[in-house]
Amino acid sequence: MATEANSGVGTDNEVKNKLLFTPQEIDQIARFLVGNQRRERESLIIPRNFTPVVFKSREEKAVEAVFESCPFKAILSLFAGFVLGGGIGLFAASVTPSIPTPDKPQPSAREVLRELKVSTLSYGKNFAAIGFMFSGVECAIESYRGKTDWKNGTYAGAVTGGVLGLRAGVKAGVAGAFGFAVFSFVIDYYMRH
């Protein structure tokens, strides 16, 4: 007995009595702590460089897909173009001089408001058409190319300007395509730099 106590080795019963958990209990504890690995994890943050990346839920991805779709962008540009064009038309009609002459008397308030309405709607419709066409074409080109760069806006400007200019003839179509492409390039260059 003295040799066993000095060597530090005990009997099997003594070792079993010293254990807090049996191997089966440790296995059960591990299964409880690890849990089900198939559950969906939301808002999981994985650091990449110095900015964290947050994974999105299915609902967030669905809403994001709607907002990034070409039809949504085109319709949003349609409404924004109408509002912007309406504002410009209202301003343009308000600064148009109406100087009374002997043969043309001072216009009435009803005539002034009618002129404001016609100008506002005309500008609004034109800007809405241009915004709708440009945004839709740019989104389609971007989707086809799979890149987001200055070429998308330039190509979309050329197509939009060409289509709008073709109503007045081939020369006007070419001039419109060139002018709108250059304008789109300049605006895109300014916004990126």
Side-chain angles (χ1 to χ4, degrees):
M1 282 284 209
T3 58
E4 280 184 20
N6 291 340
S7 65
V9 177
T11 63
D12 288 338
N13 288 336
E14 290 176 1
V15 171
K16 286 182 183 177
N17 289 339
K18 290 182 181 178
L19 292 178
L20 293 176
F21 299 108
T22 65
Q24 292 81 16
E25 291 172 335
I26 292 175
D27 191 38
Q28 288 176 345
I29 292 171
R31 284 186 188 157
F32 176 76
L33 292 176
V34 171
N36 185 4
Q37 294 296 324
R38 295 183 187 175
R39 71 179 186 270
E40 184 175 329
R41 296 178 185 218
E42 294 185 14
S43 301
L44 180 66
I45 298 175
I46 298 176
R48 185 180 297 162
N49 297 339
F50 293 109
T51 58
V53 176
V54 178
F55 287 130
K56 298 173 184 141
S57 67
R58 276 187 237 129
E59 293 83 12
E60 289 173 325
K61 289 178 184 178
V63 169
E64 189 174 273
V66 168
F67 284 129
E68 290 181 0
S69 68
C70 290
F72 180 81
K73 287 180 180 179
I75 290 172
L76 183 65
S77 295
L78 178 95
F79 287 119
F82 185 78
V83 170
L84 177 67
I88 291 174
L90 186 64
F91 175 75
S94 67
V95 296
T96 303
S98 60
I99 300 170
T101 58
D103 57 330
K104 183 181 172 192
Q106 184 77 20
S108 67
R110 177 174 278 170
E111 290 171 345
V112 171
L113 290 175
R114 188 177 300 131
E115 185 180 330
L116 284 173
K117 176 186 165 190
V118 168
S119 176
T120 301
L121 288 176
S122 175
Y123 275 83
K125 287 190 285 187
N126 289 336
F127 273 73
I130 291 170
F132 180 77
M133 187 182 303
F134 179 81
S135 180
V137 170
E138 183 184 25
C139 186
I141 290 172
E142 184 177 333
S143 297
Y144 177 75
R145 291 184 67 229
K147 294 180 184 177
T148 303
D149 58 3
W150 63 271
K151 292 179 184 178
N152 298 333
T154 305
Y155 295 155
V159 170
T160 304
V163 168
L164 293 174
L166 275 178
R167 296 186 299 184
V170 176
K171 286 184 183 179
V174 171
F178 180 74
F180 214 106
V182 169
F183 178 74
S184 299
F185 173 76
V186 169
I187 293 297
D188 198 12
Y189 181 81
Y190 176 75
M191 294 302 278
R192 291 181 188 268
H193 294 84

